[in-house]
Amino acid sequence: AEQGLVDTLTLYLPYGCPDWGTRGVLGERLPDRCRFCALPSGPDLFAKLYQAGKPTSTQGHIALLEEAWRQAVSTEGIPHTLRLFNGGSALAMHRDILARLSALCVENGVQRLVIEARAKLVTENRLAPMMKTLDAAGIKLTVRIGIETQDDEFRQNVLGKGQSREEIARAVSVASDLKIDLGSYVLLKPAPGITDSWAREEATKTINWILDELGFHEVYLSATCISP
């Protein structure tokens, strides 16, 4: 196992999350958006400020990714771990973007790539091409999923997350088959009206469930509260 701290670099790609709105990336009807997230307007704002309001094409996103990488490594150097944040599910992005992201890691000697995705997008169809590229170069892939809480009612109806236990279990199975590490976010006291004691107990239960029962490799505890 790796010991100590490693150099990491986080790149932001203004892609957004297709799960905002009434249809998801797989064409399914969706519940309300994740109610604790304030990022749905990010890509639209980027387009308004820099692209005269026009949406970014696949090639445009690849160009943005390459330029963000070039500028970052020119001052920070090549990182051990590259983290991509796209304001949504990375696995919802076009395959060409994911392929270029993987290739950048191989070309520059990155040792670990970290992305975020909703559980239902963690599929062999989306991940196998990436793993073929990354695994051949000995690069580890970590996919982070925002489970947030083990309380199904709270996750679905209060947070509006829209991730079932069945979807999470399928994601775990796919990741295990492809030898992908999984991480998960846990929200501490994520809504008004709940007590500190309930929040601590719920976060502890969630962490134990994610690590011990689901078999995730990492957990990230986040203090986030829905606006009243």
Side-chain angles (χ1 to χ4, degrees):
E2 294 173 358
Q3 301 293 323
L5 301 177
V6 298
D7 291 330
T8 63
L9 172 65
T10 300
L11 297 183
Y12 171 57
L13 189 63
Y15 189 91
C17 187
D19 289 356
W20 296 98
T22 59
R23 292 282 177 182
V25 69
L26 302 179
E28 74 279 18
R29 291 196 63 82
L30 296 166
D32 291 339
R33 62 178 174 83
C34 301
R35 299 186 183 100
F36 54 89
C37 184
L39 294 173
S41 61
D44 292 338
L45 180 60
F46 180 88
K48 180 179 179 180
L49 291 175
Y50 300 107
Q51 299 176 168
K54 297 179 181 179
T56 307
S57 65
T58 296
Q59 289 305 312
H61 277 116
I62 291 174
L64 288 171
L65 173 64
E66 291 175 338
E67 179 61 17
W69 170 265
R70 186 192 65 79
Q71 290 190 23
V73 300
S74 68
T75 57
E76 302 295 330
I78 303 296
H80 171 282
T81 297
L82 174 63
R83 298 181 295 196
L84 181 74
F85 177 71
N86 69 312
S89 298
L91 294 178
M93 297 193 300
H94 194 281
R95 294 176 183 277
D96 290 350
I97 303 173
L98 297 176
R100 186 65 189 118
L101 173 64
S102 302
L104 272 177
C105 293
V106 173
E107 293 166 5
N108 293 279
V110 172
Q111 297 181 50
R112 183 190 184 206
L113 173 63
V114 179
I115 60 175
E116 300 178 355
R118 290 172 59 81
K120 66 175 59 179
L121 300 183
V122 180
T123 65
E124 183 176 359
N125 184 48
R126 301 296 292 174
L127 285 164
M130 291 184 70
M131 285 306 298
K132 182 177 180 180
T133 300
L134 297 172
D135 195 47
I139 299 172
K140 294 291 293 181
L141 175 63
T142 298
V143 178
R144 296 178 175 178
I145 301 172
I147 294 177
E148 324 302 2
T149 174
Q150 60 87 38
D151 187 308
D152 298 331
E153 175 72 15
F154 198 84
R155 183 174 62 255
Q156 305 292 60
N157 297 327
V158 177
L159 301 182
K161 191 69 185 184
Q163 296 193 119
S164 68
R165 289 198 175 214
E166 291 75 18
E167 290 166 345
I168 295 168
R170 284 195 293 269
V172 172
S173 178
V174 170
S176 177
D177 289 344
L178 294 175
K179 296 181 173 54
I180 294 170
D181 289 345
L182 288 177
S184 178
Y185 297 103
V186 175
L187 297 183
L188 176 65
K189 200 174 183 181
I194 60 178
T195 65
D196 289 349
S197 59
W198 185 92
R200 288 192 296 269
E201 181 179 353
E202 174 58 24
T204 300
K205 288 181 179 178
T206 300
I207 290 171
N208 290 337
W209 176 55
I210 290 171
L211 293 178
D212 297 338
E213 295 188 37
L214 294 179
F216 276 54
H217 300 82
E218 303 168 355
V219 164
Y220 324 100
L221 185 64
S222 305
T224 304
C225 182
I226 302 172
S227 297

